[in-house]
Amino acid sequence: MKNLVLKNFSWSFVGNVLYAISQWVLLIIITRVGSSYDAGVYSLGLAITAPFILLINLNFNAIQSTNLQIQFGFLSFKMVRLLGNLSFFTVFSIILIMSSYDFYVSIVLLLIALMKVVESVSELYYGLFQYNERLDLVAKSVMSRGLIGTILFGVGYYFFHELFIAIIFILVYWFVNLLIFDSQMGKKLLKKMPKSRYTFSMWDLVKLGIPLGIAACIAFFNVNIPRIFLENYLTFEDLGYFSAVFYLVLIMGKFMTSLASAFLPRLSRLYDQHDWRGFTRILKMITLMLFILFLIIMNVTYFFGNELLAFIYGEEYSNLRKLLLLILVYGLLNYLGFVFETALNAMKEYRFRMINEVFVSAVIIVGCFYFIPHFSLIGAAFVLILSAFVKCSFLFTLFLVQFNKKRRGVYY
């Protein structure tokens, strides 16, 4: 078991990190080879498609990673995902036709939407791979899309100097990767899996996923609300400082999402088998690893933060150590809540997530009105810490209540 978990975690962590780096390099290619205008158009495409994709994806990865993969059957997940993507692309196309964007921008945005559709279907297979504890397959696909896709994008952009042609290059490769790797590996795994013994309609699956999809969409906005206030109350430079420093906390995020991907299927099985000791032991281990990582990063930042920021971003960022320390505290609370969210996913307890995110949104908005005008960038960090504390407390309470109910044999 330990070897398998370590293998899955290693593959997941390496895959996530390399994919993140490849997307960063892609943006660098646009700014170096092309123009800030193209970089803006590309960033706009990602920003406006992300919340819609999060919504129509219905957070199936969390649902598929439990035994609901067997109960509903992969075909049900696939049909819902395809219909959702078709609806998204149709509505998005109509919005573009009715918008005031020029033809060039509209074509780029449409191609980015197609990229997100292909990625969405690939992620459906990633859920299947994760359920079977084959995160090596997820990592190989993600690294292939990230590294080779970025190289092809760079080649297309360098020779043709047209953003839409470069996006076509990466889009075609992602589609080929979906057909020859994701779907083929998926077929092999499906042959070994038991068939569904239950009769569920696709609507049952949609009803299960809607709260999670809306919660994911709201969570996306929650992270970006402080940036909107920074842009309005301060300057674009302040927004740039905050965004750059905030990016460093994603190291902790990649570590935690990799851990969750490695352990979620096993947690689900332990919970279904009523192995409470094994279930809580894994949660304690994940929490301990989070605190160890936090202490290491916190100490490095405390003693070498100024030098680290200057080395990565330049001298003008060297005085932002305090901001980075506060954002790391936010990261600890945020990913501690993520541990309890993972546990709730393993328990198939999806209720109240949307209510939680809405409440967190209210906390962030009220906090931004007060803290950012008075405390600038530090105020934005305080708002994030407060919101993460509220979210973590809610998830921890919900986990304790539902876990104790189940352990005592209380069914509802």
Side-chain angles (χ1 to χ4, degrees), residues 70 132 134 186-195:
I70 298 297
N132 287 276
R134 290 297 307 275
K187 287 178 182 178
K188 291 180 180 178
L189 290 178
L190 286 170
K191 289 179 181 178
K192 302 175 183 178
M193 292 173 61
K195 304 299 180 184

Side-chain angles (χ1 to χ4, degrees), residues 380-396:
F382 275 129
V383 171
L384 287 177
I385 291 173
L386 179 61
S387 66
F389 176 78
V390 169
K391 183 175 181 178
C392 180
S393 299
F394 179 91
L395 291 170
F396 176 65

